[in-house]
Amino acid sequence: MNNQKPCLVETTQGFSVSYKDHLLYSKYAPSKNIIKKIQDTQILPGTIILCISPVLTHGIQELLAKLPEDCILVLCEREEALWDFSKEIYSKTSILSDARIFYPAPQELNSLPQTLYALNKAGSFRRILPIEFSAGSSIHSPFYKALYEASTASIMTFWKNRVTLTKFGRKYSRHFFENLAFLAGEFNSAQSPVESYFATVNKPILCFGAGESTDYFFESFPPSNFNSNSYFILCADTALSSLTERGIYPDGLFIEEAQSVILKSFIGNTKNTKTHIFAGLSSIPGIQRAFPPEQISYFFTEFTQADFITRAENLNILPHKNPAFGSVGITMLYYALKFRAKQSVPVFVTGLDFSYSAGRTHARSTPHHKNKLITQTRLTSLYDFNSAYNANAISFIDKGGEKFYTTQILSSYSNFLNQYFAGEKNIFDAGKCGIPLIFPKASLQFIKDSAQNQDGVEFHLQEGNCINQQKIKEFLDEEKQSLIELRKLLTEKQEMTEEELKEKITKLASQREYLFLHYPDGAAFHYDQSFLNRVRTEIDFFLKALSKS
């Protein structure tokens, strides 16, 4: 056979496919192996099945018949010629009309993990199961392996985010409304949207996290020899005091933390007018009391996918949206790339260690380090050995050749950073210690030279579109009125049938996920008395938050 294009081959027990001089199914019983594999495979509810290279329909019907609830099939074919051939075969059947089947084009497979994440909005899926349907899977075997791993990571990320929402979702939602109300205030005319900073910075950008490598950076580059005006300096919230106590005032600070403990990071810096505050829309509103309004710009970290957020987006009342990175340091780097005027502007990263040495976890003068100094006694050590020697700690040899420690969560942040920014140019790792990053290492001399090579263009803010205050007020007022109506439906006798009442309550409540997204079972709205009772208790809490508008 010299078939370079896929073509059907008739056998004694059905059809096989020949492609590039190979049969993709057995020449004796083409469907036997895949059907037996499906029979022997245990499929649990809530499974997304990646059907790898299902060129013919062999085994698909058998798999559909076996599917438990909340399962879907994703037909994955990377080879363009096989996908075109297979699509024609499937179009002659009714298989693709089944709602449980998704058949993306080859070019869509790259974004499949993100698609699956969005598809899991209601929390129906818990795992990924790959099944190879034909020998066509060997053509792009490394790709399919990576696709499975990325899809699994995407579903795991969804559930990790669900755990985070269970713990902090109520705060995120409350702050979302309170900060929106703040944006609708009178100060808005003086406020610079975060977009005003996009494509404006011609200086080299230095990004500081709160890790130990920030200390090592200034050991190699003493503040006395450091001309901060030669750089555009950004830092994570907890790194601020580590810089200011060295006499370095960053140009921008990023904060996403929703808990009030983060306000300790600003002690002694509330009179600092040089540092602009870039705050997440779900971050603690207390920063509005620490800094003047014109010193704050908001961005929106999409902490969940929800109808109430979509409605706000459709009204164009939200600041620039970025993915939920989980780490404020990664968010800072994301915006650093947005801020630079062109791709040739270098961005240097230090303090994003995602790890720590035995006895130390943060740079000097950070809130954690100061707290250790304050609480030190003859019986309490200045060193934090608990973080390095506990059940969750993972030891490894860091990029400086030293023994360091990390955790599953911290290492997942570094993995995400390395994947997300892999294709970006002119990002350099200026950190001496910590988990290795994907970026090229930057020497001290290179950092100094980059400042001397800038083109001299001055920094100017762009004209940004101010958020429409009236639209924000109308949105908040609509939410308030809807909650009042929902409370009446749940507490007062209504002149309507049970079915009508259910329909009205479901419509109002299901579109306001902030009322229940922080419940362990709050991935989706449930119309049962226990769930409704809990929703009712949240209404007054959010009415109070909305009343601040």
Side-chain angles (χ1 to χ4, degrees), residues 466-507:
C466 290
I467 292 174
N468 190 307
Q469 294 173 282
Q470 187 57 37
K471 283 187 177 180
I472 295 178
K473 292 177 181 178
E474 290 173 359
F475 170 74
L476 296 176
D477 187 62
E478 181 183 344
E479 291 302 302
K480 190 188 309 181
Q481 296 306 316
S482 295
L483 291 183
I484 292 172
E485 182 181 358
L486 181 59
R487 182 171 61 184
K488 289 180 179 179
L489 292 173
L490 292 172
T491 58
E492 299 178 8
K493 186 175 178 61
Q494 305 294 322
E495 297 294 329
M496 61 181 74
T497 66
E498 183 62 32
E499 192 60 35
E500 290 173 333
L501 182 63
K502 177 181 178 180
E503 182 180 349
K504 202 161 188 180
I505 289 175
T506 301
K507 182 178 179 180

Side-chain angles (χ1 to χ4, degrees), residues 511-541:
Q511 294 178 355
R512 287 160 181 83
E513 296 91 340
Y514 52 84
L515 294 171
F516 53 82
L517 62 81
H518 51 285
Y519 296 151
D521 57 344
F525 176 74
H526 305 284
Y527 191 86
D528 61 66
Q529 196 57 52
S530 172
F531 199 87
L532 293 176
N533 289 343
R534 287 180 286 159
V535 167
R536 168 64 188 91
T537 63
E538 297 297 324
I539 292 177
D540 292 334
F541 175 83

Side-chain angles (χ1 to χ4, degrees), residues 193-214:
V194 68
E195 293 94 333
S196 299
Y197 287 79
F198 288 3
T200 59
V201 180
N202 286 281
K203 299 178 181 180
I205 300 176
L206 289 177
C207 295
F208 289 95
E212 294 175 55
S213 57
T214 288

Side-chain angles (χ1 to χ4, degrees), residues 188-189 191-197 461-467:
N188 196 41
S189 58
Q191 191 251 5
S192 299
V194 68
E195 293 94 333
S196 299
Y197 287 79
L461 286 182
Q462 301 281 2
E463 287 294 330
N465 294 323
C466 290
I467 292 174

